[in-house]
Amino acid sequence: MAAELHALFSPVPVGRLTLKNRIFSSGHAEAMAEGGRPGERLRRYHEAKARGGCALTIVGGSSSIHPSSPAAAWKQIANHDDSIIPAYRAIADAVHEHGCLVFTQLTHLGRRAQADGEESNVLLAPSQIPERVHRDVPHELEAEQMAELILAFGEAARRCRDGGLDGIEISMAHNHLIDQFWSPLFNQRLDDYGGSLENRMRFGVEVLSEVRRRVGGDFVVGARISGDEFTRGGLTAADMAEIARRLAASGLIDFLSIIGGGAHTYELQAAAVPNMSYATGVYVPLAAAIKHAAPQMPIFHASRIVDPVQADRIVAAGHVDVVGMTRALIADPDLPRKAREGRLDDIRTCVGANEGCIDRIY
């Protein structure tokens, strides 16, 4: 092992599990699902990362937990019934063979979607506010519908456990349904789910409580949140620090994964996957601020970190506990193994062009 990468290749506990090093592939839109199911292509994609030496790979970014959150048009995973369990088992078996852990990301897109005619239900959101990007008007959630979605999150989490996955990450970022409830910009409700921060967080806490009820306390559950929405009238860094403190204090999660910004405008969508025009590690200060707010909580972070030496310094400084090198692992899935062997010059470095990854699906 290269001596200067000691922090990067040290183990770290996350819930009941231990990651063998600090490198992970974060949940992202692979756009490889087939009819809502993860198939051989998706399995091989994550198996290659596991073989290359990362400690954790998160499969199925933005996996849908309910038909009212469209999945098919984006070639995403639809975790709506037990027929998905064998596909999860196939991925888990392939990844575990290489000593790597595997989570999946679950979500409901809320208003951040488009009813494309293939889905049986209209879009659902905290309030009836259209989104600028997808130009669709959602239905304001009623109490019975919220209860249905809370149960759907729990059922989806249970299928992940039954499928042999090691944990889940619930997306409360990128302006999906749960963080739509958090933001005063998108939540104009006058009931117990609007107004104060406690009320706006109520739906997300009820989701986490139901998930814990279905999977138990020994299954890893985390949440992905923004460190700052970068939106006038939206959630600030101070707001997100308070939300992080409350999530950590709830005892319902085992880790937090931090992004920068949101995704409800074209500009924010571009900034959410920062290209070569951004400095490397551009959002590390946001993750470090959340670490300060919730110091006992393992903090994951991925955003334009492409160099193992820089990743090691970020971990050693205590800013982040686990470093996402997602696009770097697309460029070279063997990056962890090469770095551990001191073969830094052999790594095919991600330059941040975004052409072979995020641009391919847009």
Side-chain angles (χ1 to χ4, degrees):
M1 184 198 312
E4 68 271 22
L5 302 181
H6 176 75
L8 190 61
F9 287 98
S10 61
V12 59
V14 178
R16 69 174 181 87
L17 302 175
T18 298
L19 275 60
K20 64 183 179 182
N21 60 50
R22 308 301 183 98
I23 301 172
F24 84 110
S25 176
S26 62
H28 59 288
E30 309 107 334
M32 295 181 188
E34 302 158 7
R37 293 290 176 268
E40 181 181 5
R41 185 183 180 202
L42 190 62
R43 175 179 59 77
R44 288 182 179 273
Y45 173 72
H46 285 278
E47 185 180 12
K49 297 187 182 191
R51 187 186 304 114
C54 69
L56 166 68
T57 188
I58 300 182
V59 100
S62 298
S63 291
S64 168
I65 56 92
H66 190 268
S68 58
S69 181
W74 294 90
K75 296 184 179 179
Q76 299 292 74
I77 294 173
N79 181 338
H80 300 164
D81 57 61
D82 285 3
S83 65
I84 197 171
I85 292 174
Y88 278 151
R89 285 179 180 152
I91 291 176
D93 289 345
V95 170
H96 289 159
E97 186 174 341
H98 303 282
C100 181
L101 301 178
V102 57
F103 297 173
T104 194
Q105 185 187 87
L106 302 177
T107 197
H108 190 292
L109 294 172
R111 65 191 283 273
R112 206 201 143 198
Q114 189 170 37
D116 56 12
E118 297 180 15
E119 308 298 333
S120 59
N121 297 310
V122 297
L123 300 180
L124 302 174
S127 300
Q128 191 172 319
I129 302 172
E131 191 206 27
R132 188 182 310 171
V133 174
H134 296 96
R135 299 181 177 89
D136 215 329
V137 181
H139 171 83
E140 182 171 310
L141 277 159
E142 299 175 7
E144 295 81 1
Q145 292 170 313
M146 283 190 282
E148 180 181 347
L149 294 185
I150 289 167
L151 292 175
F153 268 104
E155 273 288 279
R158 188 266 304 166
R159 294 181 196 111
C160 295
R161 177 160 195 162
D162 290 350
L165 303 183
D166 299 296
I168 59 171
E169 173 184 88
I170 298 178
S171 180
M172 304 179 178
H174 297 104
N175 305 120
H176 288 192
L177 180 62
I178 293 177
D179 52 306
Q180 287 166 25
F181 270 92
W182 294 349
S183 177
L185 281 177
F186 312 128
N187 182 348
Q188 298 175 353
R189 302 180 71 93
L190 301 177
D191 60 8
D192 289 343
Y193 295 87
S196 68
L197 179 59
E198 180 181 4
N199 281 0
R200 285 181 279 124
M201 288 187 67
R202 190 182 308 278
F203 177 76
V205 171
E206 289 178 351
V207 166
L208 289 172
S209 297
E210 177 63 16
V211 165
R212 274 295 177 208
R213 188 181 75 81
R214 299 309 307 272
V215 302
D218 61 344
F219 188 69
V220 172
V221 176
R224 197 170 205 192
I225 68 172
S226 175
D228 188 327
E229 286 193 329
F230 299 143
T231 303
R232 185 185 298 275
L235 297 169
T236 65
D239 294 327
M240 294 312 306
E242 178 59 25
I243 287 171
R245 278 190 288 267
R246 295 188 184 203
L247 289 173
S250 74
L252 295 170
I253 60 171
D254 297 303
F255 70 91
L256 286 168
S257 181
I258 312 305
I259 69 155
H264 65 96
T265 68
Y266 291 117
E267 294 84 0
L268 286 171
Q269 284 194 358
V273 189
N275 63 22
M276 61 173 64
S277 68
Y278 291 80
T280 57
V282 58
Y283 299 134
V284 167
L286 296 180
I290 299 296
K291 182 66 179 177
H292 180 75
Q296 303 306 315
M297 182 65 54
I299 299 299
F300 292 28
H301 174 62
S303 215
R304 188 117 170 81
I305 301 172
V306 300
D307 177 10
V309 174
Q310 182 191 30
D312 182 83
R313 290 172 181 162
I314 291 169
V315 172
H319 299 320
V320 172
D321 297 296
V322 190
V323 178
M325 304 187 73
T326 311
R327 284 176 288 167
L329 290 167
I330 293 174
D332 189 345
D334 294 319
L335 179 153
R337 177 172 54 82
K338 291 177 180 178
R340 188 178 183 90
E341 294 171 356
R343 298 164 49 208
L344 299 180
D345 290 343
D346 292 341
I347 294 172
R348 183 184 184 189
T349 303
C350 170
V351 297
N354 282 3
E355 291 184 351
C357 50
I358 191 69
D359 189 55
R360 178 179 57 81
I361 67 168
Y362 277 100

